[in-house]
Amino acid sequence: MDTRDARLAALLGLLQPEEPQAPKGEPVHRSVRGHWDVLDFGDTVTWACRCGRSKPITLSAKDSSKVFLPLDGIHACEVCRAELQEASCKSERLLAWLNMYRAVLDRRTCLEFPEDGGLYKGPNDERYSRTRRFIFTQFWRKPVDTEHCVRSVCSNAKCINPYHLCLTSKDTKLPSSARKTVETLIQQKISNSTIKQLLREKLSIELSVRSIQRIKRDITKSKSCVS
């Protein structure tokens, strides 16, 4: 059994499939099977894992109709399957699941992890962290200091979509570096709404317009004291 046949047997349950023609034109139908995007071109059908990390599989329409997905419930490519199967703890399973869905996360919709929350520890972490903090650091690949906590900007208490997560100060006092950034933007006469947007996009920090106005008043008071 050659490499292609072995791959099709393991992933799609096919034995001795036909050699398909290359797909032509645009697909006439699209569907999703497990984590596969299935593109039907008429005579041929392409199966592409939604993670985008493996080579798509092209089948004849006849063979595609015979696909039998694995009974273990992991209906995805060999990369996703290996990560999920080799995960030995819940942190590794969550990270494998996140990598599986990374390429298809929708900024507009919530995402709920299909397990209970709790504490997780990344491969390079010294301590455990809560689910949202773990997701934030692993997805955006940047640390979260102790002055910040991670919260969701949507109203869904169970949402862990990385695009819905932001950093916020644990208390009303901003970290000194972030406060300096706000003060600089205020001095440049940037509007409050723009400052709020820049903080969210550049520093992933959620700060209310009221807090920005408070910092602006503090600056005015300090100037009055100096004068």
Side-chain angles (χ1 to χ4, degrees), residues 78-205:
E78 61 272 29
V79 179
C80 293
R81 287 181 59 81
E83 288 183 351
L84 289 169
Q85 291 172 339
E86 294 171 5
S88 59
C89 62
K90 69 174 186 178
S91 295
E92 292 179 355
R93 289 193 294 271
L94 177 53
L95 184 56
W97 181 83
L98 179 63
N99 288 334
M100 184 175 177
Y101 283 88
R102 183 184 293 269
V104 291
L105 288 175
D106 188 344
R107 295 172 182 264
R108 299 167 297 177
T109 60
C110 292
L111 178 70
E112 296 182 7
F113 183 59
E115 287 186 13
D116 292 336
L119 299 178
Y120 295 86
K121 186 176 181 181
N124 300 317
D125 295 340
E126 296 182 356
R127 62 182 64 183
Y128 286 90
S129 59
R130 294 190 178 277
T131 307
R132 283 178 171 172
R133 182 180 289 258
F134 179 82
I135 289 287
F136 188 93
T137 56
Q138 296 298 324
F139 185 84
W140 297 112
R141 294 190 174 95
K142 59 182 180 181
V144 178
D145 60 45
T146 56
E147 294 178 307
H148 289 126
C149 58
V150 179
R151 73 175 184 86
S152 176
V153 297
C154 64
S155 58
N156 187 346
K158 297 181 180 180
C159 179
I160 58 169
N161 187 332
Y163 293 107
H164 290 192
L165 302 182
C166 69
L167 300 182
T168 185
S169 179
K170 287 184 177 180
D171 51 37
T172 56
K173 184 178 179 181
L174 274 176
S176 58
S177 58
R179 185 180 177 91
K180 288 179 180 178
T181 299
V182 175
E183 290 175 350
T184 300
L185 293 173
I186 290 173
Q187 291 168 355
Q188 293 175 353
K189 301 187 183 303
I190 305 298
S191 69
N192 294 340
S193 58
T194 301
I195 292 175
K196 179 179 179 179
Q197 182 178 354
L198 288 173
L199 287 175
R200 177 183 294 174
E201 294 178 353
K202 302 300 182 182
L203 299 179
S204 298
I205 292 178

Side-chain angles (χ1 to χ4, degrees), residues 35-55:
H35 205 59
W36 295 98
D37 279 327
V38 184
L39 308 180
D40 187 348
F41 292 86
D43 294 333
T44 59
V45 180
T46 296
W47 290 64
C49 186
R50 307 186 79 199
C51 76
R53 298 179 293 172
S54 60
K55 184 178 179 180

